[in-house]
Amino acid sequence: MKAWFSAEDKEVLREHFLQFAEFLGFTHQNNVANAPMLYVKSWLAEHPGWLLAFDNVDQYEDIKDFLPTHGGHIIITTRKRQWPSKFQVLPIDVMTEKESIQTIQSIIGSPIKKEKALISLVTTLGCLPLAMVQAAAYIKQNQISIQKYLKLYQQQEMELLSSKAFPEGVKAHPVSITWNISLEAILKECKKNQEEPLAIELITVCSYLSPDKIDKKILESWIRQSYPEISNPHIICGRHIGYLWNYSLIN
């Protein structure tokens, strides 16, 4: 048995745990407090060999009541560095150069002949997975060379580093640079198609929501209220979600 839970929000986690309990056979026969949680723990104790993953945990106190005590394994992903001593902490570093190159090649698809340019790209991006995925998506979407992307990257980096918005002595994060390059590409596509850049506004709306499994109906509702003149919000929403997906700003 393997199960994955979004644990960024405790109420969302509680809802997912209820769904998991129902999947395992739980029925609402009584009003006992935390009945679904107790049922899951009991079921897991009787069926050892399971693996549970709690993703994006903010703090231990948010999930401690959900954790079974024995019978399987638990993986927790978090940005927090300090955890109780009973946990084995495994820091996740950036990818190796080899893994980074494989990632770029798998996304671009076509063979890359100039290996030096590829190595230069992954080095410039600091082997950061998100930065590489976004960069590769941009290269593939626009059918440009790695050399041309690196030149564009350098131009964008200089612009960002000259901004007073950054604290003194702090360099721009590579993800910020690739992020803005992708946003600029979306703006150009929207201008080319003579349409409002709703994709940019949609990603802003998403930033106010839980990052996992955002219901498309919420975004359609926002378009309907913000742009009442649009007669087909369902189609428009889908098209602009496509822009974001194409540049790996969402998945």
Side-chain angles (χ1 to χ4, degrees):
M1 169 63 69
K2 291 177 285 187
W4 175 91
F5 302 98
S6 175
E8 183 172 288
D9 182 277
K10 192 171 183 179
E11 292 306 312
V12 173
L13 175 59
R14 192 177 298 278
E15 180 182 344
H16 288 179
F17 227 71
L18 171 59
Q19 295 172 357
F20 184 50
E22 292 173 342
F23 173 77
L24 296 178
F26 173 76
T27 57
H28 300 267
Q29 296 178 345
N30 53 59
N31 294 321
V32 177
N34 295 326
M37 191 183 304
L38 296 173
Y39 181 89
V40 169
K41 290 183 177 181
S42 176
W43 191 97
L44 293 175
E46 296 174 2
H47 301 80
W50 41 263
L51 172 64
L52 302 184
F54 293 82
D55 190 32
N56 206 17
V57 178
D58 184 39
Q59 53 188 355
Y60 170 64
E61 289 72 20
D62 291 341
I63 64 166
K64 65 178 182 179
D65 293 335
F66 296 88
L67 302 179
T69 56
H70 63 279
H73 295 84
I74 299 171
I75 296 176
I76 298 169
T77 68
T78 179
R79 291 183 292 272
K80 296 286 185 179
R81 294 183 179 271
Q82 296 183 344
W83 280 78
S85 58
K86 65 179 180 179
F87 290 93
Q88 180 183 4
V89 179
L90 300 173
I92 305 299
D93 203 351
V94 295
M95 290 180 173
T96 64
E97 183 181 279
K98 182 179 179 181
E99 292 170 335
S100 302
I101 290 174
Q102 290 174 341
T103 299
I104 295 290
Q105 289 179 323
S106 66
I107 295 172
I108 294 179
S110 56
I112 301 173
K113 298 180 180 179
K114 297 186 178 181
E115 187 175 352
K116 287 186 178 180
L118 189 53
I119 293 174
S120 179
L121 177 62
V122 300
T123 301
T124 301
L125 298 179
C127 293
L128 294 170
L130 178 59
M132 291 185 298
V133 168
Q134 292 176 350
Y138 184 93
I139 291 169
K140 182 177 182 180
Q141 182 75 11
N142 290 277
Q143 294 296 301
I144 62 174
S145 66
I146 292 178
Q147 294 93 323
K148 187 172 182 179
Y149 180 85
L150 284 170
K151 184 177 180 180
L152 180 60
Y153 181 97
Q154 291 167 356
Q155 293 171 348
Q156 187 77 0
E157 182 183 30
M158 292 174 62
E159 180 181 342
L160 289 175
L161 289 177
S162 66
S163 171
K164 296 181 180 180
F166 292 98
E168 184 178 354
V170 176
K171 294 184 68 176
H173 196 284
V175 173
S176 302
I177 298 169
T178 55
W179 180 274
N180 285 335
I181 289 174
S182 297
L183 293 180
E184 283 293 328
I186 292 175
L187 286 171
K188 288 180 180 179
E189 284 201 34
C190 290
K191 185 176 181 180
K192 178 182 178 181
N193 296 330
Q194 297 183 334
E195 56 184 343
E196 292 290 331
L198 293 184
I200 309 300
E201 297 190 55
L202 285 178
I203 200 69
T204 303
V205 172
C206 289
S207 71
Y208 288 90
L209 305 173
S210 176
D212 298 316
K213 298 182 179 179
I214 296 174
D215 194 334
K216 184 181 175 183
K217 292 181 181 178
I218 295 177
L219 302 181
E220 292 176 5
S221 176
W222 175 83
I223 291 177
R224 194 174 292 110
Q225 294 185 40
S226 301
Y227 295 88
E229 70 276 13
I230 294 179
S231 59
N232 52 353
H234 175 75
I235 296 175
I236 296 297
C237 185
R239 183 157 70 242
H240 285 266
I241 286 176
Y243 286 141
L244 299 173
W245 184 85
N246 282 337
Y247 287 95
S248 295
L249 296 178
I250 60 174
N251 57 30

